[in-house]
Amino acid sequence: MLTSADRLHALTREYSRYSGSAGGLSAVVGGGLCLTAYLAGGLLPMSPTLRMALIAIPVLWLALKQAMARHYYQSLGQVEQHIAPEERRIRVMLTGLTGVISTVVAAGLLTGNTPFGTVTWDLQTAGYVTVVLSLPVIAWYWLRTPQELAVGAFLFCQAALAFTGQSYPLWSIAAVFPMAAVLLIAGGVRDHRKFLVLRAEIQALVRSRQAEA
């Protein structure tokens, strides 16, 4: 039979997921932003305002993720998530794959082999290359799950294109990302509901132990 200490340990381990792989409401926001960026980029004319918005969206999302993890989902205390060896291997594999793709895309730009026509080298192109080559680092530190990686990769690639005044057409390779956005939203809602139950149980258990002391 589990003691209250054992139960608190198990709850704390689950609680620690919200410092990393469990996004909760920030995942819901990320999925919504992915759908917004996909539709806006594909349907609206590329204006300076839209370009700025598409560039800002992924940065704002990462900032929101970190803020919510620290100040809301870790409001009972900071507990770092322990990454199991299998989870680490998956993250290494996905980050490595992201690095390969980023390198191929950047190399294609260097050789002029891009699906968007000839690109001239200027500050806008430099912004594109910087975002593309930064993606593996971003993926490792902040995009902890396959769904987050898919959504984050799209948002940053859309931002990279926005630097050059372009965006993904609706019916292109980007058409797969709305499904990733929906899956991220569904997972975020599920994780948030679990968190509300988890937080209430931890608080009740802590109060019970304090009463016994």
Side-chain angles (χ1 to χ4, degrees):
M1 183 176 179
L2 288 177
T3 64
S4 61
D6 293 333
R7 181 56 182 160
L8 183 59
H9 178 73
L11 291 172
T12 303
R13 186 170 60 248
E14 180 67 16
Y15 171 81
S16 73
R17 292 180 58 246
Y18 293 87
S19 69
S21 61
L25 292 179
S26 68
V28 176
V29 173
L33 290 175
C34 180
L35 294 174
T36 300
Y38 171 74
L39 293 173
L43 295 175
L44 299 178
M46 186 56 68
S47 64
T49 300
L50 181 57
R51 288 177 66 180
M52 292 294 293
L54 293 177
I55 291 168
I57 280 174
V59 178
L60 293 175
W61 179 45
L62 289 188
L64 176 67
K65 273 170 53 61
Q66 295 304 107
M68 290 200 68
R70 179 172 295 275
H71 300 294
Y72 180 72
Y73 287 113
Q74 294 282 283
S75 59
L76 299 181
Q78 299 295 316
V79 182
E80 289 297 321
Q81 181 180 12
H82 173 71
I83 305 298
E86 180 62 27
E87 293 174 327
R88 181 171 290 275
R89 281 193 292 270
I90 292 174
R91 283 187 64 193
V92 169
M93 180 185 67
L94 291 176
T95 304
L97 179 61
T98 303
V100 170
I101 294 172
S102 296
T103 303
V104 169
V105 171
L109 187 67
L110 288 171
T111 60
N113 182 24
T114 74
F116 302 100
T118 303
V119 178
T120 58
W121 280 95
D122 51 22
L123 289 177
Q124 296 173 343
T125 305
Y128 174 95
V129 173
T130 299
V131 173
V132 169
L133 292 180
S134 298
L135 191 51
V137 177
I138 293 168
W140 177 255
Y141 284 103
W142 294 294
L143 305 175
R144 307 290 183 87
T145 67
Q147 291 85 3
E148 280 190 351
L149 178 57
V151 167
F154 169 75
L155 288 176
F156 277 98
C157 287
Q158 185 78 299
L161 282 176
F163 269 104
T164 66
Q166 301 174 83
S167 62
Y168 286 106
L170 286 186
W171 306 116
S172 64
I173 189 174
V176 303
F177 291 104
M179 180 56 68
V182 171
L183 292 175
L184 186 63
I185 290 170
V189 171
R190 182 181 63 249
D191 283 338
H192 180 67
R193 288 176 174 172
K194 287 183 178 179
F195 173 77
L196 295 179
V197 175
L198 178 67
R199 182 178 62 182
E201 190 169 355
I202 290 175
Q203 290 173 331
L205 190 56
V206 169
R207 286 195 297 267
S208 175
R209 294 186 66 187
Q210 289 174 341
E212 294 172 356

